[in-house]
Amino acid sequence: MQATFELEHPVAHIRLQGHFTFEGQRSFRQATQEMLATPDFTAIHFDLTDVESMDSTALGMLLLLHERAAGRPIILHSMRPDIRAMIKIANTGGIFELR
């Protein structure tokens, strides 16, 4: 998986490509650490257009990011129907905004 970070002030954008699984944690961590080191962003948008699959490890990475995001909203958008269904099932507390 590849993860890229871009800041369009005041929103942080992360684009994910490939299989969002355990093997992608290094790329995910690098992009999110770069993002968290950037001051003054108010929301995090994840573009999942090019994510082919996602596993429970990926959900865990997103949950850990939620803890580190200091209350900033995390918006997940442009995902495949099967990925949306998986996130909805696991998102019992409404942690992520799905678009």
Side-chain angles (χ1 to χ4, degrees), residues 10-89:
V11 177
H13 294 272
I14 295 185
R15 181 182 175 111
L16 303 178
Q17 296 174 291
H19 299 281
F20 190 11
T21 62
F22 175 79
E23 289 78 18
Q25 70 178 328
R26 179 180 292 171
S27 181
F28 182 86
R29 185 174 46 243
Q30 287 173 340
T32 57
Q33 284 177 343
E34 181 182 352
M35 175 195 64
L36 292 169
T38 303
D40 301 328
F41 65 92
T42 60
I44 305 165
H45 285 226
F46 277 92
D47 181 348
L48 304 178
T49 303
D50 296 321
V51 173
E52 299 169 31
S53 65
M54 186 173 174
D55 67 8
S56 60
T57 305
L59 285 172
M61 288 186 260
L62 288 170
L63 289 170
L64 288 172
L65 177 62
H66 175 263
E67 291 176 8
R68 298 177 62 210
R72 296 177 187 108
I74 297 175
I75 296 115
L76 309 176
H77 63 89
S78 304
M79 66 204 84
R80 297 167 40 130
D82 57 326
I83 293 174
R84 178 179 294 277
M86 179 182 179
I87 293 169
K88 278 186 173 184
I89 290 168

